[in-house]
Amino acid sequence: MDYYSEKLQTLIQELSRLPGIGSKTAQRLAFHIVSEPAESAERLASAIADARHSVRYCKRCCTLTDQDLCPICSSPSRDQSTIMVVEHPQDLAAYEKTGKYNGLYHVLHGAISPEMGIGPGDIRLAELMKRLQTEEAVKEVIIATNSSLEGETTAMYISKLIKPAGIKVSRIASGVPVGGDLEYIDEVTLLRALEGRVEL
Ligand code: ZN
């Protein structure tokens, strides 16, 4: 595949490394980028570099933010007694969009999967346990991992870990379809799952 200049070829290769972008789409995007005015391409390049440099994990809940603490963790109006544990920042965003949950979050950045070789040490679980030791206001941990095998395994693991500490642990109801990713589920279902949560 050396029909194109080396630089264009490099751009196509980099784009095709992105999730969901096949080689055809990568070519189309690359052609679009080089045919636009130079300023547009520069804006895109600097937006990518800026985001990459400034976005980091929130020191408290591990979601992605560009401050030490994310807006939720630093808000005095959030209920400090509840922590909802989710797999990904997109799941947090899905619950935030409902506007009905006012507690805190903790983002694991994955789920335990023995099959894939992902153990408890590979997700942000130690950070959660540390919070539970230092944040004395916490009364309930709501586990809102996906209802996939990995999500359920993670929920059981966390519940066993936390319960001896005397903190209430609940799991969102199974209104969420099996294998369903939280970010694709509509608000009504999300709220029903939250309201129908059961204590573990
Ligand atoms: Zn945070």
Side-chain angles (χ1 to χ4, degrees):
M1 268 250 297
D2 41 13
Y3 322 110
Y4 310 128
S5 84
E6 204 180 308
K7 292 192 191 303
L8 187 54
Q9 196 58 49
T10 305
L11 177 58
I12 294 170
Q13 271 169 14
E14 288 301 320
L15 289 167
S16 64
R17 290 176 48 235
L18 299 172
I21 307 286
S23 62
K24 272 193 182 158
T25 308
Q27 281 186 46
R28 205 170 67 236
L29 290 171
F31 291 150
H32 176 79
I33 289 168
V34 294
S35 65
E36 274 189 316
E39 307 85 71
S40 306
E42 277 152 21
R43 234 178 12 245
L44 173 64
S46 75
I48 292 172
D50 271 2
R52 185 61 193 88
H53 285 135
S54 55
V55 173
R56 58 195 112 146
Y57 286 160
C58 168
K59 282 200 167 134
R60 193 177 180 193
C61 75
C62 299
T63 195
L64 298 174
T65 176
D66 49 16
Q67 307 288 327
D68 273 355
L69 284 180
C70 74
I72 295 171
C73 285
S74 51
S75 163
S77 65
R78 304 292 298 216
D79 172 12
Q80 308 287 314
S81 72
T82 324
I83 295 179
M84 187 194 287
V85 179
V86 295
E87 290 183 24
H88 302 289
Q90 302 93 296
D91 305 326
L92 177 157
Y95 265 104
E96 278 304 284
K97 270 184 223 152
T98 69
K100 296 274 166 58
Y101 175 72
N102 193 41
L104 302 170
Y105 293 92
H106 190 85
V107 181
L108 295 171
H109 293 278
I112 297 170
S113 169
E115 264 179 39
M116 306 274 288
I118 302 170
D122 300 312
I123 58 176
R124 300 273 159 164
L125 196 52
E127 287 84 347
L128 174 65
M129 299 314 292
K130 210 169 167 192
R131 286 182 69 181
L132 295 179
Q133 283 166 8
T134 52
E135 296 180 29
E136 285 169 8
V138 178
K139 291 201 170 59
E140 181 180 3
V141 172
I142 303 169
I143 306 178
T145 50
N146 295 339
S147 54
S148 58
L149 178 60
E150 293 79 19
E152 294 299 343
T153 307
T154 309
M156 290 318 292
Y157 188 89
I158 295 177
S159 130
K160 277 190 194 143
L161 217 53
I162 296 178
K163 270 172 94 178
I167 296 167
K168 182 178 171 189
V169 184
S170 56
R171 175 89 174 108
I172 55 166
S174 50
V176 177
V178 171
D181 278 348
L182 285 188
E183 60 170 317
Y184 300 117
I185 294 163
D186 68 273
E187 289 181 16
V188 177
T189 312
L190 278 181
L191 285 177
R192 205 174 289 154
L194 177 59
E195 279 156 13
R197 66 183 181 273
V198 287
E199 194 167 344
L200 290 177

